[in-house]
Amino acid sequence: MALVVGIPKETAAEEKRVATVPDVVEKLIRLGFSVAVQSGAGDAANFDDDAYRAAGAQVLPTAADLWASSDIVFKVRPPSAVEVALMREGGTLIGFVWPAQNPELMHRLADRKATVLAIDALPRQLSRAQKMDALTSQAGVAGYRAVIEAANAFGRFFNGQITAAGKIPPAKVFIAGAGVAGLAAIGTAAGLGAIVRANDTRAEVADQVVSLGGEFVKVDYEEEGSGGGGYAKVMSEGFLQAQREMYAKQAKECDIIITTALIPGKPAPRLITAEMVRSMKPGSVIVDMAGEQGGNCELTEPGKSVVKHGVTIVGYTDLASRLAKQSSTLYSTNLLRVTEELCKTKDGVVNVNMEDDAIRGLTVINDGAVTWPAPPIKMPAAPQAKAAAASVAVAKKGHGHGTSEPMSAKSLAITFGVGAIVFLLVGLFAPASFLAHFTVFVLACFIGYMVIWNVTPALHTPLMSVTNAISSIIAIGALIQIAPPLVAGADAANRPALLILGLAVFALALTAVNMFGGFAVTRRMLAMFRK
């Protein structure tokens, strides 16, 4: 018998999201499930009951009816004590749980003999887990919304303008933290025309910041800040002191500061002090995206927008919910991907496979037994590193033989020296007609080496137009061999030999395949960059 997936209305204050949208309801039904939705669950996200009915869901009037009839419940926010009491014993819950911050909730769910998959516990280091990563999808929405809130509270344009009424300088935006939310904020602020600066403890994100139109501001202190799983780690006191000095300088110069720093299971680090706020220009804005965990700014009031020392400090804790339709659509897709992993047979029955690293990481309670935290995942990094080291050793030993590595200067000089001696000997003893053809052959080999063999394989596709040009030269040569130019007094004896004719036709066929295939690949590559 197919299981029933239930979608209750969120009860948390100011929460407008819904765990599943009508488009995903249809896909859940195709997986073999029945879907029940509490009446009004999607109203705040602009999904009415009729849309769910049209998608094939059953709409139930009350939360009690929904929880009682559902085998699996999809939630956005962690369930309240009342909702846990309504939950069917032995049922399954999928959604945000935050087990480290909610030990009492974990005990209540375990007492109900529930199976709980916490979407926030997903092992993000697994590449195949990206499709299920709700933290990333919601952080991207929140980062975008943070810039919109900043623009709403700011007193002028983001982009600079020169008008008849005067010159308007562009806004300067500083973003503390270049994770998913920070990168979304950088792209949005740069798109609005602001001068964007950003900082992160992880130096590897500098290129991403620049690619989105921002400037990476580096702390004058060397320390690795990556903590694994896509998060930053807690830094040393020396680094934090240098970071505070840099933040103090940015606070004086910038009009808007957006903070995104969070470390799972810990209070939000204090990045912006009251003294920094006082140093900011009147009318400046701080959007503290870590408000729900206490805030990165010392003067943040979670859930509120306040003005202190002439600076507007936005501490909203529902940024993703303020774009409820978009965030609900992304979140419901994440839960759908989790469900697909649980129901690979598409028969409406879930299988919580504890041997699967992604499912094991998600599962914090299994049939009433607390299984959180999950054991560390063994990543196959060591064998890859060993293989890479071996390949480097072979490349060094062979000086590029058997690889696409370019020759060293010494090897190239020796090769040219030997080639020059061979060419000299050929020129001294070979007939003049042969020498002309041999010269063309040597130049063709040199060009082929420099353009194709000497180029990193990753660049072959971008250089396809160059290789097509070489192919066209080969095609012209083959055509000349097949049908040589007419010469006065020519007879049948001057016609190409059968072997030469066959080789020319074969070369022309291969070249045609290469040329048309090359143009097709180039066209597909260029189409990737078109909107």
Side-chain angles (χ1 to χ4, degrees):
M1 181 178 178
L3 300 179
V4 178
V5 176
I7 315 298
K9 184 175 182 178
E10 296 297 321
T11 58
E14 306 299 327
E15 182 56 69
K16 299 177 182 178
R17 290 173 291 179
V18 61
T20 295
V21 301
D23 286 345
V24 172
V25 167
E26 297 176 355
K27 296 173 183 177
L28 288 171
I29 292 173
R30 285 201 292 270
L31 284 175
F33 297 98
S34 298
V35 181
V37 180
Q38 182 182 344
S39 180
D43 287 350
N46 296 319
F47 299 109
D48 58 22
D49 291 347
D50 290 337
Y52 284 104
R53 290 191 184 96
Q58 179 186 9
V59 178
L60 301 178
T62 66
D65 294 331
L66 187 285
W67 285 90
S69 62
S70 300
D71 301 294
I72 306 169
V73 176
F74 287 176
K75 281 276 292 170
V76 179
R77 296 276 185 168
S80 64
V82 174
E83 289 175 316
V84 174
L86 293 174
M87 186 176 184
R88 176 186 291 184
E89 187 167 327
T92 300
L93 173 70
I94 305 176
F96 284 109
V97 177
W98 305 108
Q101 289 89 350
N102 297 305
E104 292 184 7
L105 173 62
M106 292 285 287
H107 288 306
R108 293 194 192 102
L109 290 168
D111 290 341
R112 301 293 294 174
K113 301 189 184 306
T115 296
V116 181
L117 281 76
I119 200 71
D120 47 273
L122 179 74
R124 302 170 78 187
Q125 63 268 41
L126 296 175
S127 58
R128 72 182 185 88
Q130 294 177 3
K131 62 185 179 181
M132 301 179 273
D133 191 358
L135 284 171
T136 293
S137 67
Q138 301 306 290
V141 175
Y144 173 90
R145 184 67 191 196
V147 177
I148 302 304
E149 294 293 341
N152 181 57
F154 191 47
R156 65 170 200 266
F157 299 133
F158 264 43
N159 61 326
Q161 295 187 18
I162 299 176
T163 69
K167 180 180 179 181
I168 304 171
K172 294 180 180 179
V173 180
F174 177 71
I175 297 171
V180 175
L183 292 173
I186 291 167
T188 306
L192 290 174
I195 297 173
V196 184
R197 303 169 183 171
N199 168 261
D200 196 278
T201 57
R202 298 158 293 187
E204 63 267 21
V205 304
D207 290 339
Q208 299 177 47
V209 171
V210 174
S211 70
L212 290 170
E215 173 192 353
F216 188 78
V217 182
K218 189 177 179 182
V219 177
D220 190 17
Y221 193 98
E222 294 297 331
E223 183 176 349
E224 173 57 41
S226 180
Y231 294 104
K233 70 175 185 180
V234 178
M235 307 300 286
S236 67
E237 183 56 38
F239 180 92
L240 295 177
Q241 178 59 35
Q243 186 184 60
R244 283 191 288 268
E245 293 173 0
M246 183 269 289
Y247 283 163
K249 180 180 178 183
Q250 295 299 322
K252 294 177 182 178
E253 297 179 3
C254 293
D255 304 298
I256 296 169
I257 296 177
I258 299 175
T259 65
T260 70
L262 276 176
I263 298 175
K266 298 181 181 295
R270 297 293 189 191
L271 304 179
I272 308 298
T273 63
E275 183 60 34
M276 294 180 194
V277 176
R278 281 191 288 268
S279 71
M280 296 180 73
K281 291 172 282 189
S284 297
V285 178
I286 296 174
V287 179
D288 192 341
M289 295 184 63
E292 195 165 9
Q293 299 297 328
N296 297 136
C297 177
E298 189 177 346
L299 301 180
T300 296
E301 295 186 19
K304 299 179 181 179
S305 176
V306 296
V307 178
K308 296 183 179 180
H309 306 296
V311 177
T312 302
I313 304 173
V314 179
Y316 297 145
T317 59
D318 60 344
L319 288 171
S321 183
R322 288 172 178 256
L323 284 171
K325 187 168 187 176
Q326 182 66 79
S327 54
S328 296
T329 301
L330 294 173
Y331 181 70
S332 60
T333 301
N334 295 139
L335 296 192
L336 172 66
R337 301 308 175 204
V338 173
T339 309
E340 288 174 342
E341 293 295 318
L342 294 172
C343 182
K344 293 183 178 180
T345 54
K346 298 183 180 181
D347 57 358
V349 178
V350 298
N351 174 30
V352 181
N353 181 12
M354 299 296 276
E355 300 299 321
D356 185 313
D357 286 337
I359 300 303
R360 175 63 187 90
L362 285 169
T363 307
V364 295
I365 300 176
N366 188 21
D367 291 332
V370 177
T371 58
W372 184 86
I377 297 175
K378 296 181 180 179
M379 303 298 290
Q384 291 178 358
K386 184 177 180 181
S391 64
V392 171
V394 170
K396 288 182 177 180
K397 182 178 179 180
H399 295 291
H401 294 296
T403 70
S404 59
E405 292 292 327
M407 290 186 185
S408 64
K410 182 178 179 181
S411 299
L412 195 60
I414 294 173
T415 301
F416 270 102
V418 173
I421 294 172
V422 172
F423 192 75
L424 178 62
L425 294 175
V426 171
L428 290 174
F429 300 102
S433 59
F434 175 80
L435 185 61
H437 292 295
F438 185 71
T439 304
V440 173
F441 173 74
V442 170
L443 291 175
C445 292
F446 175 74
I447 293 173
Y449 171 78
M450 297 302 294
V451 174
I452 299 175
W453 187 260
N454 200 36
V455 173
T456 302
L459 296 177
H460 281 170
T461 300
L463 292 174
M464 192 65 72
S465 58
V466 178
T467 59
N468 282 345
I470 296 174
S471 297
S472 65
I473 296 173
I474 298 171
I476 293 172
L479 288 173
I480 293 174
Q481 292 298 327
I482 293 171
L486 294 177
V487 181
D491 54 17
N494 292 325
R495 293 177 183 173
L498 187 61
L499 177 61
I500 296 176
L501 181 63
L503 290 174
V505 171
F506 182 67
L508 185 62
L510 290 180
T511 305
V513 171
N514 186 61
M515 289 174 63
F516 286 105
F519 283 121
V521 171
T522 302
R523 184 175 178 274
R524 290 181 61 184
M525 181 187 69
L526 294 175
M528 294 169 57
F529 298 96
R530 295 195 185 105
K531 292 185 179 181

